[in-house]
Amino acid sequence: MSFSTETKNELARVIPESLCCKKAELSGIAKLAGSIQIAGYKKINLKISTELNSVARKVFKALKTDFNINTSIVVNKNQMLKRNNSYVLTVKSDMGSEELMKTLGLLEKDEDFLPCHTVPSWVYEDEECKKAFIRGAFLGGGSISDPEKNYHLEFVTSNEEFAESLMNLINSLGLNSKI
């Protein structure tokens, strides 16, 4: 097991105390591991994909306990290249996906289906929420090398605006993040 996977498994066991920190962590996961799926006329779904069972369980539990959303986990067994399974959680439109995405800052509040490509402003209101968001972002799309070999932490995103926003959040904690 890689150092990055071990770190993610350990971080997946961290349970934020406050609801705002739980929301920030889930937002971070969804921003990096989530995708918006068009599901018909004025219907959108949120799909969150991960290769780690521990992250899938964390998202499943957070959706159920904090947002009263019962979703299912689909396990895709990857036969090609002997890679890990992937776990896909889907929050469908009839389960309240649009409201969830607005709450998590994935969609603009006052717009229909307009994606938001920045860290939500409410995350900046509390130091613990900042840390929870970064932890979620790492669980959703981060990797870290073993510090005994070569120190390196990175987040993978395809959106430059979000990358800059995440860099600014990390730097607000006194770190020196770059793109």
Side-chain angles (χ1 to χ4, degrees):
M1 184 181 309
S2 73
F3 181 78
S4 194
T5 300
E6 287 178 29
T7 304
K8 285 184 180 186
N9 284 334
E10 188 173 324
L11 288 175
R13 290 192 297 267
V14 173
I15 307 297
E17 291 184 21
S18 69
L19 183 58
C20 70
C21 289
K22 290 178 183 181
K23 184 171 81 167
E25 184 179 59
L26 186 57
S27 177
I29 293 170
K31 286 271 191 183
L32 277 105
S35 60
I36 299 172
Q37 177 186 46
I38 297 173
Y41 181 71
K42 291 198 173 193
K43 292 183 179 180
I44 57 174
N45 298 340
L46 171 63
K47 283 191 164 193
I48 298 176
S49 303
T50 181
E51 289 186 353
L52 295 177
N53 185 337
S54 58
V55 175
R57 277 193 316 264
K58 181 177 199 68
V59 171
F60 181 85
K61 187 174 180 182
L63 288 171
K64 184 173 182 158
T65 59
D66 302 326
F67 296 95
N68 199 27
I69 295 174
N70 290 312
T71 186
S72 59
I73 300 175
V74 175
V75 181
N76 296 321
K77 297 199 178 290
N78 193 342
Q79 301 299 326
M80 300 289 290
L81 304 173
K82 305 257 186 212
R83 297 211 43 195
N84 296 335
N85 295 335
S86 65
Y87 303 88
V88 181
L89 293 95
T90 304
V91 179
K92 296 186 177 178
S93 186
D94 59 354
M95 297 174 177
S97 63
E98 184 180 354
E99 188 58 37
L100 174 67
M101 286 188 268
K102 286 182 177 183
T103 299
L104 296 178
L106 302 175
L107 295 177
E108 297 289 346
K109 280 269 190 211
D110 300 326
E111 302 288 333
D112 284 340
F113 310 129
L114 183 64
C116 177
H117 298 295
T118 59
V119 173
S121 58
W122 49 264
V123 170
Y124 285 90
E125 295 172 7
D126 182 78
E127 290 291 308
E128 292 304 312
C129 286
K130 289 180 184 181
K131 294 173 187 176
F133 185 91
I134 294 168
R135 181 174 54 248
F138 178 74
L139 291 171
S143 65
I144 188 168
S145 59
D146 189 340
E148 291 184 9
K149 296 177 183 169
N150 185 16
Y151 182 76
H152 183 76
L153 169 69
E154 72 178 34
F155 298 86
V156 177
T157 178
S158 60
N159 185 286
E160 187 174 351
E161 186 180 3
F162 178 71
E164 288 180 19
S165 182
L166 182 59
M167 177 190 72
N168 292 334
L169 177 67
I170 293 168
N171 290 342
S172 76
L173 293 173
L175 299 170
N176 185 21
S177 176
K178 298 178 180 87
I179 295 178

